[in-house]
Amino acid sequence: TISTLQTTEEPTTFSSTTESVILTYTGIELISNSKIFYQLNESFDKSSLDLIAHLSDGSTESANPEDITIRSFSSTSAGKITVFIIYKKFLVETDIYVLADYAFEIDMPYYKSAINLRGQNLKVALNNILNDGFINLLYGDARYILDEADQDPNNPNNLILVYLGTSVDSSWDGGATWNREHVWPQSRLGVYVGYDEDDFPSKATDLHNLKPADPDENAVRSNDYFDWVKTSNTYEPRDEVKGDIARILFYMATMYFDLSLNDDPASISAYKSMGILSTLLEWNELDPVDDFERNRNEVIYSYQKNRNPFIDYPQFADLIWGDLAN
C-alpha cells in the first residue's frame, strides 16, 4: 500500500543541524508491509512496515518503529482489518488479515476473496474466481495445447502420458499415439464431446480435465472411479500422478456445481459423480504438487484464463471436503 494521507493539524517542524533552515514534515508513505497475515491474539509487528517520511526539502527519512502509532488493530477475531498507521501527525492505512484457526496464508491476489473461508462458502468463492474471465476453448484446441501443458521436461518434442508415464512424440496424429483423456469421464459430465464441425465449448472441453493418454490404457480406465485397487469399477493410476488426478477432480467439482464427489462405492455408477473421495484426499497429501504440475497450471492459465486452485493451494481440498470443512 502506498499512501500519503495527511492530517489537518499543523505539520511538525524542526531545525536542521547542518543548515540554518526550518524543515517540515510534508507527509508519510508506506512503501510496503511485509506482514499481511496474523494469527489470532497475535500482536502487531511494527518492524514489518517500511515507512518513510517526506521532508520539505525533498528528502526522506525512515520512520523509527518505536515512534509509529497503530490504531484499529485487533486480532481477537478473524477477518480483514484496515489498520491506521500514524507517524509525525500524518496517517496512512493498510489492510491485514487475522486468520481463523483453520486458515492459512494465501499470498496470490487471485485468491484474495477465499481467505478465511471453508466448506461451501469456500467452494462458492473459488467457483466465482474460476469463472471470472474464463475462456472455454474447443475440444480440438486441446490437440495443440496439451503438447505444451504436458511436455516432457527432458524432451521438448515429446509429452508424458498420464497413466503410463511414458514419453511419446507430441505431434497430433489423429489419436493413434495419444488421445485426450477426460480425467472426469466424459460419460459422467452430462454433455457429449463434439468433433470437427460439431465441436463446441463445454465442461467436456475444459483443459484442466484433459490429459494425454495411451489409447489402449485410456480404454482400460474407461469411466471408472479412482481408488487404491483396480476392479471392474475402479482404476488405480501410477503413484506419480495420484495427487495430480485428485486435484483435477477437485477442480471439476468446484468449477461445475452439477458435478459432485462421493465416498460411497455403492453409488459408483451415479450420474455426474466421481470418487472415491476419501482416497482422493489421501492422494492429495501423499503425492504433493511438483514442478510438472505447476507448469501445466501456468500453461493452461495462459490459454483458458483460469487456474486449478488445488495446485496453487492443495490445502483448499481439506477445507472443502475434509475434516476442516465444518
Side-chain angles (χ1 to χ4, degrees):
T1 302
I2 298 177
S3 179
T4 54
L5 299 179
Q6 299 186 17
T7 67
T8 57
E9 301 180 35
E10 289 298 318
T12 303
T13 63
F14 62 95
S15 299
S16 169
T17 58
T18 58
E19 299 180 12
S20 57
V21 295
I22 301 298
L23 295 180
T24 61
Y25 289 98
T26 59
I28 60 173
E29 182 178 1
L30 181 61
I31 302 301
S32 66
N33 178 14
S34 62
K35 188 173 177 61
I36 303 298
F37 298 98
Y38 284 81
Q39 302 299 318
L40 288 168
N41 301 313
E42 185 177 1
S43 299
F44 190 87
D45 182 7
K46 295 181 183 179
S47 66
S48 67
L49 303 175
D50 183 4
L51 184 71
I52 63 172
H54 290 266
L55 304 176
S56 56
D57 65 349
S59 64
T60 62
E61 67 176 28
S62 296
N64 185 340
E66 295 181 359
D67 296 330
I68 294 174
T69 302
I70 302 298
R71 294 285 184 266
S72 300
F73 172 79
S74 172
S75 60
T76 57
S77 61
K80 180 181 177 180
I81 300 173
T82 298
V83 176
F84 296 97
I85 303 162
I86 302 171
Y87 183 76
K88 301 298 182 182
K89 301 181 182 179
F90 295 91
L91 177 147
V92 293
E93 60 186 56
T94 187
D95 292 332
I96 62 96
Y97 295 87
V98 178
L99 297 176
D101 54 6
Y102 55 80
F104 59 91
E105 296 185 10
I106 298 177
D107 297 317
M108 295 180 65
Y110 185 77
Y111 299 108
K112 182 182 295 186
S113 61
I115 296 172
N116 270 334
L117 299 181
R118 62 176 171 174
Q120 188 65 16
N121 289 336
L122 174 57
K123 191 176 181 183
V124 170
L126 291 178
N127 178 271
N128 290 333
I129 291 168
L130 296 179
N131 280 281
D132 185 16
F134 170 61
I135 300 175
N136 200 176
L137 302 175
L138 297 176
Y139 191 50
D141 295 329
R143 297 172 297 179
Y144 310 110
I145 297 177
L146 291 180
D147 61 347
E148 181 182 353
D150 291 76
Q151 183 184 75
D152 182 346
N154 298 314
N155 185 346
N157 296 317
N158 284 16
L159 51 68
I160 303 295
L161 301 180
V162 59
Y163 298 134
L164 297 183
T166 51
S167 177
V168 300
D169 189 328
S170 62
S171 301
W172 180 252
D173 57 6
T177 302
W178 61 275
N179 61 13
R180 293 156 288 179
E181 158 72 332
H182 290 85
V183 177
W184 192 297
Q186 185 268 321
S187 62
R188 297 182 185 275
L189 288 174
V191 63
Y192 75 92
V193 175
Y195 295 85
D196 300 323
E197 299 84 9
D198 197 26
D199 196 356
F200 65 98
S202 71
K203 65 171 72 73
T205 67
D206 192 312
L207 288 170
H208 285 293
N209 187 46
L210 298 174
K211 294 282 284 183
D214 175 81
D216 292 335
E217 190 66 18
N218 194 349
V220 170
R221 186 267 160 132
S222 185
N223 69 344
D224 294 340
Y225 275 30
F226 292 98
D227 205 355
W228 283 107
V229 295
K230 289 186 179 182
T231 69
S232 59
N233 294 316
T234 60
Y235 180 86
E236 182 185 13
R238 58 192 175 96
D239 290 345
E240 293 80 3
V241 296
K242 281 183 166 70
D244 307 48
I245 295 297
R247 288 180 280 273
I248 288 172
L249 296 183
F250 295 153
Y251 164 87
M252 291 297 287
T254 302
M255 180 69 178
Y256 305 101
F257 278 172
D258 60 333
L259 304 181
S260 64
L261 295 167
N262 73 78
D263 204 28
D264 182 8
S267 68
I268 205 158
S269 61
Y271 185 51
K272 295 188 180 181
S273 183
M274 274 297 293
I276 301 291
L277 176 56
S278 60
T279 297
L280 299 174
L281 289 170
E282 286 183 68
W283 290 354
N284 185 44
E285 296 287 338
L286 294 174
D287 175 31
V289 176
D290 57 22
D291 289 340
F292 186 90
E293 205 174 353
R294 292 187 190 94
N295 178 71
R296 172 179 159 86
N297 199 21
E298 296 297 338
V299 171
I300 292 176
Y301 176 67
S302 72
Y303 289 97
Q304 195 167 274
K305 303 307 178 185
N306 75 348
R307 307 179 64 84
N308 183 335
F310 304 96
I311 294 175
D312 293 324
Y313 294 102
Q315 307 97 309
F316 282 147
D318 276 334
L319 288 175
I320 295 175
W321 293 284
D323 293 338
L324 297 176
N326 298 315

